[in-house]
């Protein structure tokens, strides 16, 4: 039998950027800018007369989505962001969260603690676009277009010390604009973490844009992290602080329900949540049900991180 296995960078035609996204970006950038690498645009090299769009970055096709891209509308109006409430329809309310000025503090076990302005981060980081699958532990999934940069690039700015073993992410706790914070029984601020090895993996990605525009507040704008091989609750949104530590953090969901949500939370269809199966997932937009894949289909990039850790509770 002649089976042809596509290489990592080959995207089937049906997975190419949908026309609506292309048109959207053209309107935003001017057609000629489509051909320019985003890094050049980010440094202000936009065609004369056009405002530079810092989110116009070259697509990295190394991480094949293998699925149709979720419509922007679906990806940006069906959210989990408990700081704004516990239902999925918080996108309007989240517009209250001011996106500028925004400072991200990187501290703890680092050589040089940093208070970084969001626009400074966007200017300094090597922006790229990735089309990534996102799998929520609740059983829904999407394939979204993100602009960002490897987490390792950001951490380099602060020079973690050799004692640092974990990276802890904390969301802004803006009491005036996040009504969910009034629910005082939740352990605010939202906190998540990963190991230093996970943070160094090329798939650990800091997101500042979606669908060629700034990341909207409901999806964690102006800056959030994604670990596409882990369940979505690991992806801290609207980050205010990153701390390098030698202590494994107890994260938000672990504090609320440790029997259901652990530290590693890697996607695995064969390990059910205590209250439901994880064998399949529902795609936002079409409601199609498809099989879930181990490490959300990114095992070739991340499985090595977990060799020797088989005795840990690796799967949520
Ligand atoms: N980050 C914060 N600060 N608050 C949250 O409630 N929810 C998490 C994660 N990050 C959450 C968060 C969960 S459960 C998921 S599935 C993803 O964000 C959803 O991201 P999205 O809305 O961009 O799809």
């Amino acid at each position: 039998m002649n089976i042809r296995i596509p290489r990592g960078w080959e995207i089937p035609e049906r997975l190419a950027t949908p026309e609506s996204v292309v048109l959207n970006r053209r309107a935003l950038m001017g057609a000629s800018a489509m051909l320019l690498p985003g890094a050049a645009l980010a440094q202000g090299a936009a065609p004369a007369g056009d405002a530079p769009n810092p989110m116009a970055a070259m697509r990295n096709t190394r991480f094949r989505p293998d699925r149709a891209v979720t419509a922007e509308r679906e990806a940006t109006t069906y959210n989990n962001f408990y700081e704004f409430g516990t239902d999925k329809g918080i996108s309007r309310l989240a517009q209250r969260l001011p996106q500028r000025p925004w400072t991200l503090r990187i501290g703890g076990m680092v050589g040089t603690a940093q208070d970084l302005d969001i626009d400074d981060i966007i200017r300094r980081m090597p922006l790229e676009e990735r089309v990534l699958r996102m799998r929520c532990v609740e059983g829904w999934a999407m394939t979204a277009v993100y602009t960002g940069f490897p987490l390792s690039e950001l951490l380099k700015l602060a020079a973690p010390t050799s004692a640092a073993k974990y990276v802890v992410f904390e969301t802004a706790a803006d009491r005036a604009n996040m009504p969910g914070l009034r629910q005082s029984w939740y352990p605010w601020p939202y906190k998540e973490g990963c190991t230093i090895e996970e943070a160094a993996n090329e798939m650990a990605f800091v997101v500042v844009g979606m669908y060629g525009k700034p990341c909207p507040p409901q999806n964690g704008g102006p800056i959030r992290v994604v670990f596409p091989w882990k369940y979505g609750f690991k992806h801290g949104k609207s980050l205010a602080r990153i701390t390098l530590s030698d202590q494994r953090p107890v994260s938000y969901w672990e504090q609320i329900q440790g029997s259901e949500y652990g530290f590693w939370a890697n996607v695995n269809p064969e390990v059910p949540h205590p209250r439901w199966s994880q064998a399949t997932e529902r795609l936002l937009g079409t409601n199609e049900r498809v099989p879930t894949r181990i490490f959300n289909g990114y095992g070739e990039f991340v499985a090595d991180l977990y060799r020797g850790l088989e005795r840990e509770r690796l799967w949520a």
Side-chain angles (χ1 to χ4, degrees), residues 243-256:
T243 308
L244 282 290
S245 172
D246 57 359
Q247 304 292 313
R248 184 186 290 191
V250 181
S251 62
Y252 179 84
W253 282 107
E254 231 179 323
Q255 286 181 59
I256 295 170

Side-chain angles (χ1 to χ4, degrees), residues 74-76 78-85 88 90 134-138 140 142 144 146 170-172 178 188-192 210 215-216 218-220 224-226 231-239 252-253 284:
E74 302 290 343
T76 58
Y78 189 91
N79 300 102
N80 270 333
F81 205 160
Y82 272 39
E83 286 84 336
F84 293 98
K88 311 289 177 206
I90 52 78
M134 207 290 278
R135 169 61 152 85
C136 176
V137 72
E138 296 164 341
W140 54 272
M142 65 175 179
Y146 296 107
E170 268 174 45
T171 297
M178 292 171 149
W188 311 113
Y190 197 96
K191 188 158 72 166
E192 261 307 337
M210 281 181 83
C215 181
Q218 65 271 26
N219 291 89
R224 60 99 55 95
V225 66
V226 296
Y231 289 113
F233 68 88
K234 296 296 297 182
H235 311 0
K237 289 176 157 181
S238 303
L239 297 176
Y252 179 84
W253 282 107
L284 290 193

Side-chain angles (χ1 to χ4, degrees), residues 31-265:
S32 58
M34 287 293 291
L35 304 173
L36 289 175
L41 285 172
Q43 283 149 24
D50 277 348
N53 171 17
M55 295 309 146
M58 287 275 272
R59 181 168 295 183
N60 181 344
T61 54
R62 190 165 148 70
F63 312 108
R64 286 187 297 124
D66 282 341
R67 278 185 196 161
V69 172
T70 304
E72 178 183 351
R73 203 184 132 68
E74 302 290 343
T76 58
T77 56
Y78 189 91
N79 300 102
N80 270 333
F81 205 160
Y82 272 39
E83 286 84 336
F84 293 98
T86 52
D87 70 87
K88 311 289 177 206
I90 52 78
S91 61
R92 279 247 201 101
L93 194 55
Q95 305 311 309
R96 284 194 202 169
L97 185 67
Q99 303 288 284
R100 297 290 188 282
W102 191 279
T103 304
L104 174 64
R105 172 160 292 188
I106 309 183
M109 296 181 148
V110 294
T112 31
Q114 306 272 323
D115 276 349
L116 295 163
D117 171 69
I118 180 66
D119 292 309
D120 200 28
I121 294 174
I122 291 170
R123 265 191 301 275
R124 290 168 72 183
M125 289 290 108
L127 295 189
E128 58 179 79
E129 187 172 88
R130 295 186 184 184
V131 183
L132 298 170
R133 294 183 295 276
M134 207 290 278
R135 169 61 152 85
C136 176
V137 72
E138 296 164 341
W140 54 272
M142 65 175 179
T143 306
V145 183
Y146 296 107
T147 304
F149 48 86
L151 173 60
S152 58
E153 293 290 330
L154 183 65
L155 297 183
K156 253 191 235 166
L157 299 179
T161 67
S162 56
K165 295 196 165 36
Y166 297 94
V167 186
V168 185
F169 304 89
E170 268 174 45
T171 297
D174 179 338
R175 292 195 174 272
N177 294 302
M178 292 171 149
L181 297 186
R182 285 184 223 133
Q183 300 188 311
S184 54
W185 53 92
Y186 286 117
W188 311 113
Y190 197 96
K191 188 158 72 166
E192 261 307 337
C194 69
T195 63
I196 200 92
E197 292 81 12
E198 289 175 321
N201 185 276
E202 62 182 320
M203 290 221 78
F205 199 53
V206 179
V207 168
V208 292
M210 281 181 83
Y211 297 85
K213 302 170 200 163
C215 181
Q218 65 271 26
N219 291 89
I223 187 163
R224 60 99 55 95
V225 66
V226 296
F227 299 96
W229 70 98
K230 292 176 178 283
Y231 289 113
F233 68 88
K234 296 296 297 182
H235 311 0
K237 289 176 157 181
S238 303
L239 297 176
R241 189 185 291 263
I242 296 180
T243 308
L244 282 290
S245 172
D246 57 359
Q247 304 292 313
R248 184 186 290 191
V250 181
S251 62
Y252 179 84
W253 282 107
E254 231 179 323
Q255 286 181 59
I256 295 170
Q257 193 67 279
S259 59
E260 300 190 353
Y261 310 102
F263 172 75
W264 299 96

